[in-house]
């Protein structure tokens, strides 16, 4: 009998290696490196392996992400071992390879992560410490995590990260925050430097973790991730969903991790921004017809910690066809535009939510018609603020806002 046997493709083995190098590797990790035919990693990581290991050494090219698929294909069929710093699945090459090849073709042997080592040095409980990854990402992503009393571990791409973190903290009114820079964790040259954000001027080694104990200065207004940030947190020309109405609107939109929101007629971008602040994986597209407002939305998004908010300058519904399918839609303006509500409604999947706000009689009529046709909730929110009336205080009402919210089933 003749036949063809399937030969299983050997997995790529990813070995975590710490700053203590070869001596710190456990026996199983050493054995994998010694069996390797091809050894990939940064030049620094490759230098940690003794010269007696006979594998072909392939340093990472730059840029790595673009070159990686071809590099893996070039050495297919050989025993490939990839070296990574610490835990390869913590902002590391292990995650990248798993996404590229699938979990069944990647075997990971982690070393202690920089997070575990930093918490061990500081005496911090890992589960009570927030980890913020800025590796290859903008510093503005730190903003939502800066809250009074929080402990943060910030992972950066290089030794510039501590100074960037300190500058951001000082500008936010957290200049008294304690900053601790831990370099070369686990290695013979491990070092720890401590100071405050406002006075930070120390140089830092390339491989660092920045630890922060957030301390707000007197008078600093916290910016929580719950809906309804103060109106003053936004740069605006007046086209801004006010804080109280914004909180109600976002509660109806019900931000879910990983989901996408269309913020149509975005104004200052507050709905999309606070949707994204609800969870790091929430995504949003802000659609705005005014070029000036679109630029303002981008500035607001960066300043409030969601620089990945996508801002689309154009008229709805014309531009909506080129956006990704939404999980939720908010219409804050332009309700009387022909086919706008129809286009948004048709784009929603089963279980998708739609919320629209109206302040004019004409816009209210549109919402009333849709409410009669597809259901949902129709409510009116009226807010009054206390203001001086001579030597006394009286209530000044704002324009009432009608809110229609519906889930598509």
């Amino acid at each position: 009998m003749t036949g063809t046997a399937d030969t299983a493709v050997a997995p790529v083995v990813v070995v975590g290696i710490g700053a203590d190098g070869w001596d710190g590797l456990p026996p199983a990790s050493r054995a994998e490196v010694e069996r390797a035919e091809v050894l990939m990693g940064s030049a620094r990581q490759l230098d940690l392996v003794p010269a007696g290991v006979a594998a072909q050494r392939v340093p990472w090219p730059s840029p790595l992400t673009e070159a990686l698929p071809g590099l893996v294909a070039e050495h297919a069929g050989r025993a490939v071992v990839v070296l990574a710093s610490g835990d390869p699945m913590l902002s590391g090459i292990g995650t990248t390879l798993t996404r590229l090849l699938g979990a069944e073709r990647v075997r990971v042997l982690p070393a202690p992560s920089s997070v575990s080592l930093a918490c061990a040095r500081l005496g911090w409980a890992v589960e009570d410490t927030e980890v913020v990854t800025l590796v290859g990402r903008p510093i503005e992503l730190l903003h939502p995590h800066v809250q009074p009393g929080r402990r943060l571990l910030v992972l950066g791409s290089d030794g510039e990260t501590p100074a960037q973190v300190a500058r951001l903290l000082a500008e936010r009114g957290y200049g008294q925050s304690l900053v601790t820079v831990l370099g070369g964790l686990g290695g013979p040259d491990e070092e720890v430097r401590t100071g405050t954000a406002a006075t930070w001027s120390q140089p830092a080694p390339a491989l660092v973790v920045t630890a922060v104990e957030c301390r707000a200065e007197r008078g600093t207004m916290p910016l929580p991730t719950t809906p309804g940030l103060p109106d003053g947190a936004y740069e605006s020309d007046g086209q801004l969903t006010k804080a109280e109405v914004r909180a109600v609107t976002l509660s109806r939109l019900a931000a879910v991790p990983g989901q996408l929101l269309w913020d149509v007629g975005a104004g200052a971008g507050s709905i999309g921004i606070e949707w994204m602040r609800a969870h790091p994986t929430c995504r949003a597209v802000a659609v705005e017809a005014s070029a000036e407002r679109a630029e303002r939305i981008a500035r607001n998004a960066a300043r409030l910690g969601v620089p990945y908010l996508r801002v689309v300058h154009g008229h709805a519904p014309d531009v909506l066809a080129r956006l990704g399918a939404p999980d939720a839609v908010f219409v804050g303006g332009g309700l009387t535009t022909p086919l706008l509500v129809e286009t948004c409604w048709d784009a929603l999947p089963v279980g998708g939510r739609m919320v629209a706000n109206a302040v004019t009689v004409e816009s209210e009529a549109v919402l009333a018609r849709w409410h009669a046709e597809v259901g949902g909730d129709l409510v009116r929110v009226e807010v009054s603020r206390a203001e001086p009336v001579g030597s006394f205080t009286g209530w000044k009402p704002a324009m009432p806002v009608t809110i229609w919210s519906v889930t598509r089933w």
Side-chain angles (χ1 to χ4, degrees):
M1 183 177 70
T2 61
T4 302
D6 290 332
T7 302
V9 177
V12 173
V13 179
V14 186
V15 172
I17 187 168
D20 50 358
W22 185 254
D23 292 339
L25 284 181
S29 296
R30 281 196 190 187
E32 291 292 346
V33 174
E34 290 168 339
R35 279 197 296 265
E37 296 175 278
V38 179
L39 198 58
M40 299 181 183
S42 69
R44 180 189 65 80
Q45 291 160 347
L46 293 173
D47 286 344
L48 296 173
V49 178
V53 174
Q56 176 188 352
R57 303 188 184 210
V58 180
W60 292 132
S62 180
L64 173 59
T65 303
E66 297 175 7
L68 192 58
L71 199 60
V72 171
E74 179 184 346
H75 298 284
R78 305 178 73 188
V80 176
V81 171
V82 172
L83 298 177
S85 296
D87 184 349
M89 303 304 288
L90 180 62
S91 298
I93 191 66
T95 303
T96 305
L97 284 168
T98 299
R99 289 174 181 162
L100 175 65
L101 302 175
E104 68 282 355
R105 289 190 55 197
V106 181
R107 181 168 169 244
V108 179
L109 300 176
S113 70
S114 57
V115 169
S116 294
L117 291 171
C119 286
R121 301 297 184 270
L122 295 165
W124 292 3
V126 175
E127 66 271 20
D128 294 332
T129 302
E130 196 157 2
V131 179
V132 184
T133 300
L134 299 179
V135 179
R137 301 176 182 180
I139 186 69
E140 288 85 2
L141 290 172
L142 186 60
H143 279 296
H145 305 280
V146 177
Q147 304 292 347
R150 295 298 294 158
R151 286 177 169 176
L152 312 176
L153 285 182
V154 183
L155 311 181
S157 299
D158 52 42
E160 299 299 319
T161 300
Q164 294 172 350
V165 170
R167 185 162 54 249
L168 182 148
L169 290 165
E171 291 173 353
R172 277 283 306 278
Y174 287 78
Q176 296 308 305
S177 298
L178 188 64
V179 176
T180 302
V181 172
L182 304 103
L185 283 166
D189 300 322
E190 183 175 309
E191 57 180 308
V192 178
R193 299 176 182 177
T194 302
T196 64
T199 60
W200 187 265
S201 61
Q202 303 182 50
L207 298 176
V208 298
V209 175
T210 307
V212 178
E213 295 184 64
C214 296
R215 298 174 181 174
E217 297 165 6
R218 186 174 182 178
T220 297
M221 176 69 70
L223 296 177
T225 55
T226 50
L229 290 179
D231 293 344
Y234 293 94
E235 179 187 349
S236 138
D237 61 0
Q239 290 297 313
L240 171 71
T241 303
K242 299 302 189 286
E244 296 82 4
V245 174
R246 193 184 326 130
V248 174
T249 299
L250 284 156
S251 72
R252 299 300 181 96
L253 286 167
V256 173
Q259 291 195 344
L260 173 67
L261 169 75
W262 287 0
D263 182 0
V264 181
S270 61
I271 297 296
I273 288 170
E274 294 192 31
W275 167 280
M276 291 184 67
R277 283 173 62 90
H279 192 272
T281 63
C282 285
R283 299 167 294 132
V285 182
V287 178
E288 176 52 55
S290 163
E292 183 179 354
R293 287 177 184 164
E295 293 174 359
R296 188 179 295 120
I297 291 170
R299 292 195 297 271
N300 282 331
R303 191 173 61 254
L304 291 170
V306 289
Y308 291 137
L309 172 70
R310 181 183 171 193
V311 181
V312 174
H313 171 223
H315 292 271
D318 301 343
V319 300
L320 301 182
R322 55 188 171 93
L323 308 182
D327 300 287
V329 175
F330 171 66
V331 181
L335 279 169
T336 58
T337 303
L339 299 179
L340 175 58
V341 179
E342 288 86 345
T343 303
C344 292
W345 178 256
D346 290 343
L348 281 177
V350 173
R353 287 88 62 203
M354 184 168 176
V355 178
N357 292 0
V359 294
T360 67
V361 172
E362 292 79 6
S363 295
E364 284 186 335
V366 174
L367 297 188
R369 186 171 67 251
W370 274 89
H371 176 257
E373 183 175 341
V374 301
D377 292 323
L378 198 60
V379 300
R380 175 174 284 187
V381 176
E382 300 186 47
V383 177
S384 296
R385 298 183 184 279
E387 293 190 4
V389 180
S391 59
F392 297 92
T393 302
W395 294 104
K396 182 176 181 180
M399 289 183 68
V401 179
T402 301
I403 302 176
W404 175 56
S405 57
V406 64
T407 300
R408 182 166 189 173
W409 297 115

